[in-house]
Amino acid sequence: MTGSWTNGAQASDGTGKSLASGFCTMPDRVSVSITIGGILPADRVPELIETANRCGLSLEWDGGPLTEIPSGEPLCLRAHEVVGGDIDDMEDFCCHNDLPFRSWSDGNYGHFTPEIRIWIGEGPRQVYTAAQDEKAVLTTDEASQLASYEAIMEHFRQANYIPPPLHILPIKAPDDTAEAQPSCE
């Protein structure tokens, strides 16, 4: 059988269009970003890199695979064309390693809206409606549920959370008793 695949269903006319709907169907791919902070033991860095690469995340928009993690500032990772804006594996890694984060995913009109997800290092992840510029917004329903100006301002304060710097904690060898001397490089 010849033809092209469209979301798992083959179009027999070879156009890449769904024969039922008359338009091209594509997976819902959107841009995402995540900012990570906290303290990570050095022996966990390879898993962080592997998870980021599996999610398609990079230090730059359209950047290459991650090979190292900078320390001393929040780690900002981003990607375009992420199916469903799903970077749950990266968020789960952060939660399991006590790394607070703020993530954003763009929306796909008619399917899902942009959102910000925050985890401050404890409790459940918080989800906020967002705009395409990575800023929190309020829907009419959300604003009416908050009911007061103070509650609305607190909502935006929480949604604008910035994680602390990410620090990589060196692993000290068991027999290493000497203090490390500062380098002059």
Side-chain angles (χ1 to χ4, degrees), residues 12-41:
S12 61
D13 67 353
T15 64
K17 295 181 179 181
S18 167
L19 297 179
S21 65
F23 63 89
C24 184
T25 56
M26 298 279 298
D28 299 323
R29 295 176 181 271
V30 297
S31 298
V32 299
S33 68
I34 185 167
T35 303
I36 302 167
I39 299 172
L40 183 66

PDB file of all heavy atoms in Angstrom, residues 12-41:
ATOM      1  N   SER A  12      -4.367   7.360   1.561  1.00  0.00           N
ATOM      2  CA  SER A  12      -4.078   6.588   0.358  1.00  0.00           C
ATOM      3  C   SER A  12      -3.822   7.461  -0.864  1.00  0.00           C
ATOM      4  O   SER A  12      -3.362   6.959  -1.876  1.00  0.00           O
ATOM      5  CB  SER A  12      -5.230   5.623   0.072  1.00  0.00           C
ATOM      6  OG  SER A  12      -6.424   6.358  -0.140  1.00  0.00           O
ATOM      7  N   ASP A  13      -4.107   8.769  -0.792  1.00  0.00           N
ATOM      8  CA  ASP A  13      -3.863   9.601  -1.969  1.00  0.00           C
ATOM      9  C   ASP A  13      -2.444  10.151  -2.006  1.00  0.00           C
ATOM     10  O   ASP A  13      -2.065  10.827  -2.945  1.00  0.00           O
ATOM     11  CB  ASP A  13      -4.885  10.736  -2.050  1.00  0.00           C
ATOM     12  CG  ASP A  13      -4.750  11.754  -0.939  1.00  0.00           C
ATOM     13  OD1 ASP A  13      -3.936  11.530  -0.006  1.00  0.00           O
ATOM     14  OD2 ASP A  13      -5.451  12.775  -0.991  1.00  0.00           O
ATOM     15  N   GLY A  14      -1.619   9.905  -0.959  1.00  0.00           N
ATOM     16  CA  GLY A  14      -0.228  10.316  -0.948  1.00  0.00           C
ATOM     17  C   GLY A  14       0.005  11.798  -0.711  1.00  0.00           C
ATOM     18  O   GLY A  14       1.105  12.284  -0.881  1.00  0.00           O
ATOM     19  N   THR A  15      -1.021  12.536  -0.311  1.00  0.00           N
ATOM     20  CA  THR A  15      -0.868  13.976  -0.122  1.00  0.00           C
ATOM     21  C   THR A  15      -0.423  14.362   1.275  1.00  0.00           C
ATOM     22  O   THR A  15      -0.042  15.494   1.512  1.00  0.00           O
ATOM     23  CB  THR A  15      -2.201  14.706  -0.391  1.00  0.00           C
ATOM     24  OG1 THR A  15      -3.154  14.278   0.593  1.00  0.00           O
ATOM     25  CG2 THR A  15      -2.699  14.433  -1.790  1.00  0.00           C
ATOM     26  N   GLY A  16      -0.504  13.448   2.237  1.00  0.00           N
ATOM     27  CA  GLY A  16      -0.202  13.789   3.622  1.00  0.00           C
ATOM     28  C   GLY A  16      -1.389  14.437   4.311  1.00  0.00           C
ATOM     29  O   GLY A  16      -1.306  14.863   5.430  1.00  0.00           O
ATOM     30  N   LYS A  17      -2.518  14.514   3.623  1.00  0.00           N
ATOM     31  CA  LYS A  17      -3.724  15.100   4.199  1.00  0.00           C
ATOM     32  C   LYS A  17      -4.629  13.990   4.690  1.00  0.00           C
ATOM     33  O   LYS A  17      -4.727  12.923   4.090  1.00  0.00           O
ATOM     34  CB  LYS A  17      -4.471  15.938   3.169  1.00  0.00           C
ATOM     35  CG  LYS A  17      -3.699  17.152   2.715  1.00  0.00           C
ATOM     36  CD  LYS A  17      -4.503  17.951   1.715  1.00  0.00           C
ATOM     37  CE  LYS A  17      -3.733  19.172   1.273  1.00  0.00           C
ATOM     38  NZ  LYS A  17      -4.488  19.969   0.319  1.00  0.00           N
ATOM     39  N   SER A  18      -5.302  14.280   5.768  1.00  0.00           N
ATOM     40  CA  SER A  18      -6.300  13.343   6.254  1.00  0.00           C
ATOM     41  C   SER A  18      -7.444  13.319   5.255  1.00  0.00           C
ATOM     42  O   SER A  18      -7.974  14.363   4.887  1.00  0.00           O
ATOM     43  CB  SER A  18      -6.809  13.796   7.631  1.00  0.00           C
ATOM     44  OG  SER A  18      -7.966  13.073   7.968  1.00  0.00           O
ATOM     45  N   LEU A  19      -7.822  12.148   4.809  1.00  0.00           N
ATOM     46  CA  LEU A  19      -8.897  12.053   3.835  1.00  0.00           C
ATOM     47  C   LEU A  19     -10.235  12.432   4.462  1.00  0.00           C
ATOM     48  O   LEU A  19     -11.132  12.916   3.784  1.00  0.00           O
ATOM     49  CB  LEU A  19      -8.957  10.650   3.248  1.00  0.00           C
ATOM     50  CG  LEU A  19      -7.715  10.233   2.457  1.00  0.00           C
ATOM     51  CD1 LEU A  19      -7.865   8.820   1.944  1.00  0.00           C
ATOM     52  CD2 LEU A  19      -7.445  11.201   1.324  1.00  0.00           C
ATOM     53  N   ALA A  20     -10.349  12.256   5.759  1.00  0.00           N
ATOM     54  CA  ALA A  20     -11.601  12.581   6.428  1.00  0.00           C
ATOM     55  C   ALA A  20     -11.758  14.082   6.627  1.00  0.00           C
ATOM     56  O   ALA A  20     -12.839  14.627   6.466  1.00  0.00           O
ATOM     57  CB  ALA A  20     -11.668  11.873   7.780  1.00  0.00           C
ATOM     58  N   SER A  21     -10.682  14.780   6.957  1.00  0.00           N
ATOM     59  CA  SER A  21     -10.818  16.191   7.299  1.00  0.00           C
ATOM     60  C   SER A  21     -10.387  17.127   6.186  1.00  0.00           C
ATOM     61  O   SER A  21     -10.722  18.307   6.200  1.00  0.00           O
ATOM     62  CB  SER A  21      -9.989  16.497   8.540  1.00  0.00           C
ATOM     63  OG  SER A  21      -8.619  16.319   8.257  1.00  0.00           O
ATOM     64  N   GLY A  22      -9.599  16.658   5.239  1.00  0.00           N
ATOM     65  CA  GLY A  22      -9.167  17.493   4.144  1.00  0.00           C
ATOM     66  C   GLY A  22      -7.994  18.405   4.468  1.00  0.00           C
ATOM     67  O   GLY A  22      -7.649  19.255   3.677  1.00  0.00           O
ATOM     68  N   PHE A  23      -7.380  18.276   5.631  1.00  0.00           N
ATOM     69  CA  PHE A  23      -6.204  19.093   5.947  1.00  0.00           C
ATOM     70  C   PHE A  23      -5.111  18.225   6.525  1.00  0.00           C
ATOM     71  O   PHE A  23      -5.356  17.125   6.999  1.00  0.00           O
ATOM     72  CB  PHE A  23      -6.544  20.251   6.896  1.00  0.00           C
ATOM     73  CG  PHE A  23      -7.043  19.818   8.244  1.00  0.00           C
ATOM     74  CD1 PHE A  23      -6.146  19.592   9.286  1.00  0.00           C
ATOM     75  CD2 PHE A  23      -8.393  19.637   8.490  1.00  0.00           C
ATOM     76  CE1 PHE A  23      -6.585  19.187  10.529  1.00  0.00           C
ATOM     77  CE2 PHE A  23      -8.837  19.238   9.744  1.00  0.00           C
ATOM     78  CZ  PHE A  23      -7.928  19.013  10.759  1.00  0.00           C
ATOM     79  N   CYS A  24      -3.896  18.728   6.472  1.00  0.00           N
ATOM     80  CA  CYS A  24      -2.734  17.989   6.945  1.00  0.00           C
ATOM     81  C   CYS A  24      -2.772  17.880   8.466  1.00  0.00           C
ATOM     82  O   CYS A  24      -2.975  18.877   9.151  1.00  0.00           O
ATOM     83  CB  CYS A  24      -1.460  18.711   6.493  1.00  0.00           C
ATOM     84  SG  CYS A  24       0.036  17.807   6.929  1.00  0.00           S
ATOM     85  N   THR A  25      -2.605  16.701   8.989  1.00  0.00           N
ATOM     86  CA  THR A  25      -2.575  16.521  10.434  1.00  0.00           C
ATOM     87  C   THR A  25      -1.137  16.309  10.871  1.00  0.00           C
ATOM     88  O   THR A  25      -0.371  15.605  10.232  1.00  0.00           O
ATOM     89  CB  THR A  25      -3.449  15.314  10.864  1.00  0.00           C
ATOM     90  OG1 THR A  25      -2.984  14.173  10.163  1.00  0.00           O
ATOM     91  CG2 THR A  25      -4.915  15.558  10.549  1.00  0.00           C
ATOM     92  N   MET A  26      -0.772  16.966  11.946  1.00  0.00           N
ATOM     93  CA  MET A  26       0.586  16.881  12.484  1.00  0.00           C
ATOM     94  C   MET A  26       0.477  16.669  13.980  1.00  0.00           C
ATOM     95  O   MET A  26      -0.490  17.098  14.594  1.00  0.00           O
ATOM     96  CB  MET A  26       1.340  18.197  12.234  1.00  0.00           C
ATOM     97  CG  MET A  26       1.537  18.559  10.791  1.00  0.00           C
ATOM     98  SD  MET A  26       2.907  17.719  10.029  1.00  0.00           S
ATOM     99  CE  MET A  26       4.255  18.303  10.995  1.00  0.00           C
ATOM    100  N   PRO A  27       1.468  16.059  14.572  1.00  0.00           N
ATOM    101  CA  PRO A  27       1.471  16.003  16.032  1.00  0.00           C
ATOM    102  C   PRO A  27       1.501  17.432  16.584  1.00  0.00           C
ATOM    103  O   PRO A  27       2.001  18.346  15.937  1.00  0.00           O
ATOM    104  CB  PRO A  27       2.772  15.273  16.370  1.00  0.00           C
ATOM    105  CG  PRO A  27       3.173  14.584  15.113  1.00  0.00           C
ATOM    106  CD  PRO A  27       2.605  15.396  13.986  1.00  0.00           C
ATOM    107  N   ASP A  28       0.944  17.633  17.736  1.00  0.00           N
ATOM    108  CA  ASP A  28       0.910  18.941  18.374  1.00  0.00           C
ATOM    109  C   ASP A  28       2.287  19.246  18.952  1.00  0.00           C
ATOM    110  O   ASP A  28       2.606  18.869  20.066  1.00  0.00           O
ATOM    111  CB  ASP A  28      -0.151  18.959  19.470  1.00  0.00           C
ATOM    112  CG  ASP A  28      -1.537  18.683  18.924  1.00  0.00           C
ATOM    113  OD1 ASP A  28      -1.820  19.148  17.812  1.00  0.00           O
ATOM    114  OD2 ASP A  28      -2.326  18.018  19.603  1.00  0.00           O
ATOM    115  N   ARG A  29       3.111  19.937  18.179  1.00  0.00           N
ATOM    116  CA  ARG A  29       4.476  20.267  18.576  1.00  0.00           C
ATOM    117  C   ARG A  29       4.550  21.733  18.955  1.00  0.00           C
ATOM    118  O   ARG A  29       4.097  22.590  18.197  1.00  0.00           O
ATOM    119  CB  ARG A  29       5.447  19.972  17.442  1.00  0.00           C
ATOM    120  CG  ARG A  29       5.534  18.497  17.117  1.00  0.00           C
ATOM    121  CD  ARG A  29       6.442  18.243  15.927  1.00  0.00           C
ATOM    122  NE  ARG A  29       6.490  16.846  15.615  1.00  0.00           N
ATOM    123  CZ  ARG A  29       7.347  15.979  16.146  1.00  0.00           C
ATOM    124  NH1 ARG A  29       8.240  16.379  17.023  1.00  0.00           N
ATOM    125  NH2 ARG A  29       7.329  14.714  15.801  1.00  0.00           N
ATOM    126  N   VAL A  30       5.131  22.002  20.132  1.00  0.00           N
ATOM    127  CA  VAL A  30       5.222  23.372  20.627  1.00  0.00           C
ATOM    128  C   VAL A  30       6.589  23.624  21.255  1.00  0.00           C
ATOM    129  O   VAL A  30       7.359  22.694  21.502  1.00  0.00           O
ATOM    130  CB  VAL A  30       4.112  23.672  21.669  1.00  0.00           C
ATOM    131  CG1 VAL A  30       2.728  23.552  21.041  1.00  0.00           C
ATOM    132  CG2 VAL A  30       4.228  22.758  22.883  1.00  0.00           C
ATOM    133  N   SER A  31       6.854  24.880  21.538  1.00  0.00           N
ATOM    134  CA  SER A  31       8.090  25.266  22.221  1.00  0.00           C
ATOM    135  C   SER A  31       7.915  25.104  23.723  1.00  0.00           C
ATOM    136  O   SER A  31       6.820  25.280  24.260  1.00  0.00           O
ATOM    137  CB  SER A  31       8.435  26.719  21.897  1.00  0.00           C
ATOM    138  OG  SER A  31       8.659  26.871  20.519  1.00  0.00           O
ATOM    139  N   VAL A  32       9.024  24.776  24.401  1.00  0.00           N
ATOM    140  CA  VAL A  32       9.022  24.627  25.855  1.00  0.00           C
ATOM    141  C   VAL A  32      10.311  25.214  26.421  1.00  0.00           C
ATOM    142  O   VAL A  32      11.318  25.342  25.718  1.00  0.00           O
ATOM    143  CB  VAL A  32       8.923  23.147  26.299  1.00  0.00           C
ATOM    144  CG1 VAL A  32       7.638  22.513  25.817  1.00  0.00           C
ATOM    145  CG2 VAL A  32      10.111  22.340  25.835  1.00  0.00           C
ATOM    146  N   SER A  33      10.261  25.557  27.699  1.00  0.00           N
ATOM    147  CA  SER A  33      11.476  25.938  28.416  1.00  0.00           C
ATOM    148  C   SER A  33      11.325  25.487  29.862  1.00  0.00           C
ATOM    149  O   SER A  33      10.207  25.311  30.356  1.00  0.00           O
ATOM    150  CB  SER A  33      11.718  27.455  28.356  1.00  0.00           C
ATOM    151  OG  SER A  33      10.730  28.136  29.091  1.00  0.00           O
ATOM    152  N   ILE A  34      12.454  25.275  30.514  1.00  0.00           N
ATOM    153  CA  ILE A  34      12.450  24.927  31.929  1.00  0.00           C
ATOM    154  C   ILE A  34      13.682  25.562  32.567  1.00  0.00           C
ATOM    155  O   ILE A  34      14.768  25.540  31.986  1.00  0.00           O
ATOM    156  CB  ILE A  34      12.416  23.393  32.162  1.00  0.00           C
ATOM    157  CG1 ILE A  34      12.284  23.079  33.665  1.00  0.00           C
ATOM    158  CG2 ILE A  34      13.603  22.694  31.531  1.00  0.00           C
ATOM    159  CD1 ILE A  34      11.933  21.618  33.964  1.00  0.00           C
ATOM    160  N   THR A  35      13.478  26.158  33.733  1.00  0.00           N
ATOM    161  CA  THR A  35      14.560  26.733  34.525  1.00  0.00           C
ATOM    162  C   THR A  35      14.646  25.930  35.803  1.00  0.00           C
ATOM    163  O   THR A  35      13.640  25.764  36.502  1.00  0.00           O
ATOM    164  CB  THR A  35      14.295  28.227  34.814  1.00  0.00           C
ATOM    165  OG1 THR A  35      14.128  28.905  33.568  1.00  0.00           O
ATOM    166  CG2 THR A  35      15.444  28.848  35.583  1.00  0.00           C
ATOM    167  N   ILE A  36      15.849  25.431  36.099  1.00  0.00           N
ATOM    168  CA  ILE A  36      16.065  24.500  37.207  1.00  0.00           C
ATOM    169  C   ILE A  36      17.069  25.093  38.179  1.00  0.00           C
ATOM    170  O   ILE A  36      18.067  25.683  37.774  1.00  0.00           O
ATOM    171  CB  ILE A  36      16.600  23.150  36.672  1.00  0.00           C
ATOM    172  CG1 ILE A  36      15.626  22.561  35.657  1.00  0.00           C
ATOM    173  CG2 ILE A  36      16.888  22.176  37.809  1.00  0.00           C
ATOM    174  CD1 ILE A  36      16.191  21.411  34.847  1.00  0.00           C
ATOM    175  N   GLY A  37      16.823  24.917  39.467  1.00  0.00           N
ATOM    176  CA  GLY A  37      17.757  25.367  40.487  1.00  0.00           C
ATOM    177  C   GLY A  37      17.933  24.301  41.555  1.00  0.00           C
ATOM    178  O   GLY A  37      17.389  23.206  41.459  1.00  0.00           O
ATOM    179  N   GLY A  38      18.713  24.627  42.583  1.00  0.00           N
ATOM    180  CA  GLY A  38      18.925  23.707  43.695  1.00  0.00           C
ATOM    181  C   GLY A  38      20.333  23.162  43.733  1.00  0.00           C
ATOM    182  O   GLY A  38      21.250  23.712  43.116  1.00  0.00           O
ATOM    183  N   ILE A  39      20.480  22.068  44.447  1.00  0.00           N
ATOM    184  CA  ILE A  39      21.788  21.435  44.624  1.00  0.00           C
ATOM    185  C   ILE A  39      21.701  20.008  44.092  1.00  0.00           C
ATOM    186  O   ILE A  39      20.838  19.234  44.495  1.00  0.00           O
ATOM    187  CB  ILE A  39      22.203  21.424  46.105  1.00  0.00           C
ATOM    188  CG1 ILE A  39      22.307  22.858  46.615  1.00  0.00           C
ATOM    189  CG2 ILE A  39      23.517  20.679  46.294  1.00  0.00           C
ATOM    190  CD1 ILE A  39      22.522  22.979  48.110  1.00  0.00           C
ATOM    191  N   LEU A  40      22.608  19.695  43.160  1.00  0.00           N
ATOM    192  CA  LEU A  40      22.630  18.372  42.544  1.00  0.00           C
ATOM    193  C   LEU A  40      23.997  17.739  42.757  1.00  0.00           C
ATOM    194  O   LEU A  40      25.015  18.331  42.394  1.00  0.00           O
ATOM    195  CB  LEU A  40      22.343  18.491  41.041  1.00  0.00           C
ATOM    196  CG  LEU A  40      22.255  17.179  40.264  1.00  0.00           C
ATOM    197  CD1 LEU A  40      21.046  16.364  40.720  1.00  0.00           C
ATOM    198  CD2 LEU A  40      22.178  17.452  38.770  1.00  0.00           C
ATOM    199  N   PRO A  41      24.035  16.537  43.348  1.00  0.00           N
ATOM    200  CA  PRO A  41      25.327  15.847  43.473  1.00  0.00           C
ATOM    201  C   PRO A  41      25.913  15.563  42.087  1.00  0.00           C
ATOM    202  O   PRO A  41      25.185  15.254  41.142  1.00  0.00           O
ATOM    203  CB  PRO A  41      24.965  14.537  44.182  1.00  0.00           C
ATOM    204  CG  PRO A  41      23.651  14.796  44.848  1.00  0.00           C
ATOM    205  CD  PRO A  41      22.940  15.790  43.971  1.00  0.00           C
TER     206      PRO A  41
END
